[in-house]
Amino acid sequence: MAWPRFLQRGTLFTSFSHHHVAVFLLTFFSYSLLHASRKTFSNVKVSISKQWTPNAFNTSIDLPAEGLFISGIIGDRLNLRWVLSFGMCSSAFVVFVFGTLTEWLHFYSKWLYCGLWIGNGLLQSTGWPCVVAVMGNWFGKAGRGVVFGLWSACASVGNILGACLASSVLQYGYEYAFLVTASVQFAGGIVIFFGLLVSPEEIGLPSIEAEENSEEDSHRPLIHGAENEDEYEPNYSIQEDGAVTQAKAISFHQACCLPGVIPYSLAYACLKLVNYSFFFWLPFYLSNNFRWKEAEADKLSIWYDVGGIVGGTLQGFISDVLQKRAPVLALSLFLAVGSLVGYSRSPNNKSINALLMTITGFFIGGPSNMISSAISADLGRQELIQGSSEALATVTGIVDGTGSIGAAVGQYLVSLIQDNLGWMWVFYFFILMTSCTILFISPLIVREVFSLVQRRQARVLSE
């Protein structure tokens, strides 16, 4: 096997400066804090349902997906640091009002809660497009799968952090869970405003495009199977002949027309539905189905995120070695179907449940992390738009925004299915959505597998 360039030279981590490390950590923990505050709502669902709805009717409130489309476009046109910091601080304030201030004042209003959570969703939607764009500005194609695979664990780490913070103060009242996570998130937004470097150019370093163009011709982008320029001829043009040299944001329509954006967006809508259903419903499912204590269910749900962290990192590394993403996703998603069947039949045993939960997180959370991070970066940095490097946040917003539409619809459907048919049918629904994920990227899978076979045959003939 021909090893990718970053492994041949052993320069994946040695070429990183302290600026790269700082950007990695700041973007990692900024999104972790955003997810921690989201996770708080999931972790206190049982307590809230008892306080707000005595009959325990639990239709989840999801974040509005439209905000991600808008935030991605805004992120490509305004300073990413300002947008991210504003989103973190203002979202923290809304979470504080939503979960803490209303309880302190004993003011309960369904319409107020809905309005606050919709506003929180719009503000939180600034997070993912901005952090992916900043990471894309600092980390190039070489080793992107493993770097973004490790980095995309930020959401899972945020879930774990949110579960730990919420369970540690839940005994004092659910309002303190919101207070702690909102305070930490607000402090994080201040750190981002003063500490984050959006791109290498801010400190006089060359951009990623300049560095990659100065080296020998690199391998093709990992989002399609063409091995040379002549094999892939799009039937549309993003730019006129003679690409513009200055950075320029592309339109929403142009971003949608980029190869791979629509298939991966639709696939992510199905996969994020499953992933976020575990995110929002897992602690409640454990409490409701097995009658375990709420704090114990919160802590046990961490194992799903542990599986997602390991899965995203390992699968990203394998995709870098193969120099293809879709075949790795396909194998993981096929195995995810089996893991869902296994987890749906988990016995009332915490150790076995945690093991099956970790395996499920590996095969579902891993691919979800890959699509939302490494693949989104590939899509936003492909060669058709090298003259428009300010496209990454827009593309990321499209992929994640479409995914959030699926996740939002899914939360309503999960509640509906569970109320009328039971939890087992919820898992059947997850299996269907995972299968649809494979279906949407099947043309990319076939093309990239065929490309791998052709490459291997050419190497055998040359030997």
Side-chain angles (χ1 to χ4, degrees):
M1 176 182 291
W3 295 92
R5 189 176 44 181
F6 75 93
L7 289 177
Q8 291 173 345
R9 298 179 182 178
T11 59
L12 175 57
F13 295 106
T14 57
S15 62
F16 294 163
S17 67
H18 67 280
H19 297 298
H20 289 83
V21 175
V23 168
F24 185 101
L25 293 176
L26 285 174
T27 53
F28 185 98
F29 284 109
S30 65
Y31 198 71
S32 295
L33 295 177
L34 287 169
H35 243 262
S37 66
R38 296 184 200 178
K39 183 66 173 175
T40 303
F41 185 83
S42 173
N43 289 329
V44 302
K45 184 185 289 286
V46 174
S47 295
I48 286 180
S49 66
K50 292 177 181 177
Q51 181 77 13
W52 296 355
T53 53
N55 294 326
F57 179 73
N58 272 277
T59 301
S60 287
I61 305 172
D62 200 8
L63 305 180
E66 293 81 359
L68 282 159
F69 295 118
I70 299 170
S71 297
I73 296 172
I74 292 174
D76 276 336
R77 288 159 173 80
L78 300 179
N79 188 291
L80 293 168
R81 180 176 63 254
W82 299 349
V83 176
L84 179 58
S85 178
F86 171 78
M88 292 181 67
C89 292
S90 53
S91 168
F93 176 75
V94 172
V95 169
F96 166 75
V97 174
F98 176 89
T100 304
L101 188 60
T102 54
E103 177 62 20
W104 284 350
L105 298 176
H106 300 291
F107 182 80
Y108 309 108
S109 168
K110 179 178 67 175
W111 298 111
L112 174 64
Y113 292 137
C114 289
L116 287 173
W117 207 247
I118 289 172
N120 182 50
L122 292 171
L123 295 169
Q124 286 226 354
S125 68
T126 61
W128 192 248
C130 287
V131 293
V132 172
V134 172
M135 283 290 291
N137 288 341
W138 282 92
F139 297 89
K141 287 186 293 185
R144 180 177 284 159
V146 65
V147 171
F148 275 75
L150 180 62
W151 175 82
S152 65
C154 57
S156 297
V157 170
N159 295 342
I160 294 172
L161 178 62
C164 291
L165 291 175
S167 61
S168 65
V169 298
L170 193 57
Q171 57 184 317
Y172 304 109
Y174 72 81
E175 65 271 24
Y176 291 98
F178 286 104
L179 175 62
V180 170
T181 53
S183 300
V184 174
Q185 181 181 309
F186 188 89
I190 299 299
V191 173
I192 290 297
F193 183 81
F194 290 103
L196 181 64
L197 293 173
V198 170
S199 67
E201 294 98 312
E202 285 192 351
I203 52 174
L205 297 176
S207 66
I208 288 297
E209 288 83 0
E211 286 187 351
E212 290 179 343
N213 290 337
S214 66
E215 297 177 357
E216 59 185 342
D217 186 46
S218 61
H219 51 272
R220 295 284 298 169
L222 300 174
I223 59 169
H224 59 74
E227 293 297 316
N228 56 60
E229 292 291 336
D230 297 330
E231 290 183 12
Y232 183 74
E233 295 181 358
N235 56 5
Y236 51 84
S237 175
I238 301 299
Q239 296 174 312
E240 296 294 329
D241 293 338
V244 182
T245 56
Q246 70 264 26
K248 176 183 172 184
I250 66 174
S251 69
F252 182 86
H253 177 262
Q254 287 175 323
C256 288
C257 290
L258 291 172
V261 170
I262 295 300
Y264 274 119
S265 296
L266 295 175
Y268 193 49
C270 299
L271 187 58
K272 191 170 183 179
L273 182 154
V274 179
N275 195 42
Y276 261 52
S277 294
F278 275 91
F279 168 77
F280 278 113
W281 287 93
L282 187 54
F284 181 79
Y285 165 73
L286 296 174
S287 297
N288 180 266
N289 195 56
F290 298 109
R291 305 302 177 187
W292 295 338
K293 293 181 180 179
E294 185 178 16
E296 293 177 347
D298 289 344
K299 293 178 180 178
L300 193 66
S301 67
I302 288 172
W303 289 105
Y304 179 83
D305 296 298
V306 171
I309 292 172
V310 177
T313 304
L314 183 59
Q315 291 166 35
F317 175 78
I318 295 173
S319 71
D320 278 340
V321 173
L322 294 177
Q323 301 180 29
K324 304 293 176 188
R325 310 277 192 223
V328 180
L329 283 177
L331 178 59
S332 181
L333 292 170
F334 276 120
L335 295 174
V337 172
S339 69
L340 285 168
V341 173
Y343 187 70
S344 68
R345 289 163 171 77
S346 173
N348 193 349
N349 181 289
K350 293 178 183 176
S351 298
I352 296 177
N353 192 287
L355 176 62
L356 294 174
M357 189 189 302
T358 304
I359 296 171
T360 305
F362 183 95
F363 291 121
I364 292 179
S368 180
N369 289 345
M370 274 188 61
I371 294 177
S372 63
S373 59
I375 290 175
S376 292
D378 290 340
L379 293 169
R381 291 288 187 188
Q382 52 187 300
E383 293 175 4
L384 284 173
I385 49 171
Q386 277 192 345
S388 180
S389 61
E390 300 299 312
L392 183 49
T394 300
V395 171
T396 303
I398 291 171
V399 175
D400 206 35
T402 308
S404 292
I405 291 176
V409 173
Q411 304 322 299
Y412 174 77
L413 293 177
V414 167
S415 175
L416 188 65
I417 294 170
Q418 191 273 326
D419 285 340
N420 293 279
L421 299 173
W423 285 109
M424 187 58 67
W425 281 94
V426 172
F427 284 100
Y428 293 153
F429 176 57
F430 291 164
I431 291 171
L432 174 63
M433 290 296 99
T434 304
S435 302
C436 289
T437 304
I438 301 172
L439 180 64
F440 280 124
I441 61 171
S442 57
L444 302 175
I445 296 170
V446 172
R447 187 167 60 193
E448 292 190 7
V449 169
F450 182 71
S451 173
L452 286 172
V453 172
Q454 280 189 321
R455 185 197 303 168
R456 182 173 180 81
Q457 290 176 343
R459 189 161 54 248
V460 171
L461 291 175
S462 65
E463 293 174 353

